[in-house]
Amino acid sequence: MVIIFTDRKRLGKILKIKRLELDFTLEALADKNISASTISLIERGHENVSENKIMYLCKKLDIDIQQDLEKMEKSRHKEEQEFLSKLKPIENMIDLIDPKQGLKRLNPLLKNIQPTTSPKVIAIMYYLKGRAYTRKGRLQNNEKDLDRAEKNFKESLAILEQKPELKTSNLQVLIYHELARVYYFRNDFDNALINVQKGLSLFNEKGERTYIKHTLKISKAIYLEKLDQLHESLKVLEEMWNDIHIIQNINVILNMYETRAIVLKRLNRPREALQYCIEGIEIARLNEIHERSFELWTVLGSIYSDLRNFERAEECFEIVFGLKHQVKKKYLFINPYTELGKMHLKRGVFSEAIKYLKEAVAIGEETNDSPRLAQALLALGDCFFHQNRLEEALPFYNRAYQIASKHKFKRILRDILLQYVQCAKEVDYSNYHKLVDKLIKIEVELKDKGDIV
């Protein structure tokens, strides 16, 4: 009897499943002792229905209160676990093989959803479909796939929001993480950060999938860095370092090292940045994680270039391009080409600098990676500026400025305007004063936030 009166929502769900299995509508099951509306209230778990009415409905459905309910609940749980076990290979296919193959196997399951299918199972299927479209959309630079991903994630959230008993699954947390990635791939870092914050606010320490906490935190640090909130990003990373010994995901750990190196480099603390880069590179090598190695060696090369240790920088980039066949994500090549171009610019080898930077710009335009593209365009403008080819420099500064303005990359925008203003003074004087005003405004905003370096 305990199961009935202490967990009415669970009981109502079981009674509804039984009614559907017997192919009864609410009206067909109703009689002079129990109305269709009362049956509906019982199925929805309302507390204001009398115990006698519940017991009467159980009798009508031929359910033994003390035995059959527990038996049915165990059966439903078993069916749910069996269905979830079918989804596990699809999840691995999406993440490790090909998202298109994952979708091919997932879509028939979604089309054949039954009224008795567990809401948890349905929510997970929409979540996996969203993940497949996220990966497919990013790999193919397809905005429509990212739209499909967002739609499926929101379908999953709508189900979960109606099922508070599923909070311990941390499924909502996972979905907000994936939604943040969708916004990140659209270069909308503000909304990416908002969704990460939602995920962290809903995280259940005693629930399932607790690994997602650190994934969310490193994502938060990355998005803060992209938003030029460098001190806030570093604070998150420093907090994470206290937990580094319990983090299970090696990619989270490597992202921590890479992001910390990037933030420290941008804060003009290159010696500290070198330390984290070198440590991260060793971890990536021991675990044979090629993409992370590729990115970490790129950051290390850029640090040595800033320190004007060009010999060491060249060694780094030699390893970077030795790893190129192991890297599938084309947008990752923007940074090494940009950093190589900037290194040759510092050495005064302009023809080589322009060659590498044009390649970076081409990849940035193809992959719609706005932050990296803006940096490449700025560096390409600098190549012409330092040769006193100001009219050729101007369109690159202008394009970089448009991208940085659109996405509110304030620190990059400040760097662009510093060069753009000097160029405009000589060859575009009609815009000169307007650009100076914008530069002053950005400087004030960065100073107010404490982000001037």
Side-chain angles (χ1 to χ4, degrees), residues 372-386:
R372 292 179 172 98
L373 175 57
Q375 293 281 14
L377 286 165
L378 170 59
L380 190 51
D382 287 346
C383 280
F384 293 105
F385 181 86
H386 288 291

Side-chain angles (χ1 to χ4, degrees), residues 181-393:
R181 283 165 53 80
V182 169
Y183 287 113
Y184 173 74
F185 293 143
R186 291 173 175 160
N187 302 303
D188 185 351
F189 304 130
D190 286 307
N191 270 315
L193 184 60
I194 287 168
N195 278 274
V196 160
Q197 295 282 39
K198 285 181 181 177
L200 286 168
S201 70
L202 291 170
F203 178 72
N204 189 322
E205 290 278 3
K206 296 180 180 178
E208 303 168 25
R209 304 174 177 89
T210 52
Y211 62 83
I212 191 61
K213 177 182 178 181
H214 295 110
T215 305
L216 283 166
K217 282 194 168 184
I218 188 57
S219 297
K220 180 178 179 179
I222 291 169
Y223 303 154
L224 285 167
E225 186 270 326
K226 295 297 183 185
L227 287 164
D228 297 323
Q229 297 179 39
L230 302 182
H231 296 290
E232 291 88 341
S233 179
L234 188 59
K235 183 179 178 181
V236 173
L237 289 163
E238 288 169 347
E239 290 172 357
M240 288 189 74
W241 237 261
N242 296 326
D243 290 343
I244 198 166
H245 61 289
I246 61 171
I247 298 174
Q248 296 177 350
N249 189 330
I250 188 65
N251 277 304
V252 169
I253 293 172
L254 290 171
N255 267 321
M256 288 166 63
Y257 278 98
E258 182 186 354
T259 307
R260 192 159 189 174
I262 290 169
V263 170
L264 289 168
K265 174 181 180 288
R266 294 187 62 191
L267 288 170
N268 289 332
R269 292 158 63 178
R271 299 297 174 186
E272 293 173 76
L274 278 175
Q275 172 196 337
Y276 287 103
C277 233
I278 292 167
E279 289 177 14
I281 283 169
E282 185 65 5
I283 294 169
R285 182 187 69 81
L286 290 171
N287 289 275
E288 297 184 13
I289 301 178
H290 298 95
E291 276 193 359
R292 293 268 79 84
S293 291
F294 179 91
E295 293 181 275
L296 283 158
W297 277 107
T298 299
V299 177
L300 187 63
S302 72
I303 297 169
Y304 280 127
S305 178
D306 287 348
L307 293 170
R308 307 193 75 79
N309 189 337
F310 299 126
E311 184 177 345
R312 295 298 299 273
E314 285 182 337
E315 290 173 357
C316 294
F317 291 123
E318 184 179 350
I319 294 172
V320 167
F321 286 99
L323 288 164
K324 66 180 180 180
H325 297 299
Q326 309 288 341
V327 178
K328 295 180 180 179
K329 298 171 184 172
K330 194 167 185 179
Y331 64 89
L332 293 180
F333 285 89
I334 303 170
N335 278 354
Y337 280 117
T338 300
E339 293 302 334
L340 261 175
K342 287 162 71 175
M343 183 186 75
H344 285 295
L345 174 59
K346 289 167 189 167
R347 301 175 83 170
V349 187
F350 297 116
S351 60
E352 286 294 291
I354 290 170
K355 179 181 76 173
Y356 287 120
L357 288 166
K358 281 186 174 180
E359 185 66 25
V361 168
I363 299 170
E365 289 173 338
E366 180 185 344
T367 58
N368 191 34
D369 194 307
S370 295
R372 292 179 172 98
L373 175 57
Q375 293 281 14
L377 286 165
L378 170 59
L380 190 51
D382 287 346
C383 280
F384 293 105
F385 181 86
H386 288 291
Q387 295 177 77
N388 204 31
R389 295 160 63 180
L390 303 185
E391 289 188 359
E392 291 173 85

Side-chain angles (χ1 to χ4, degrees), residues 155-166:
E155 287 272 8
S156 188
L157 278 176
I159 295 167
L160 293 170
E161 284 165 3
Q162 300 299 316
K163 300 292 175 182
E165 66 270 22
L166 294 179

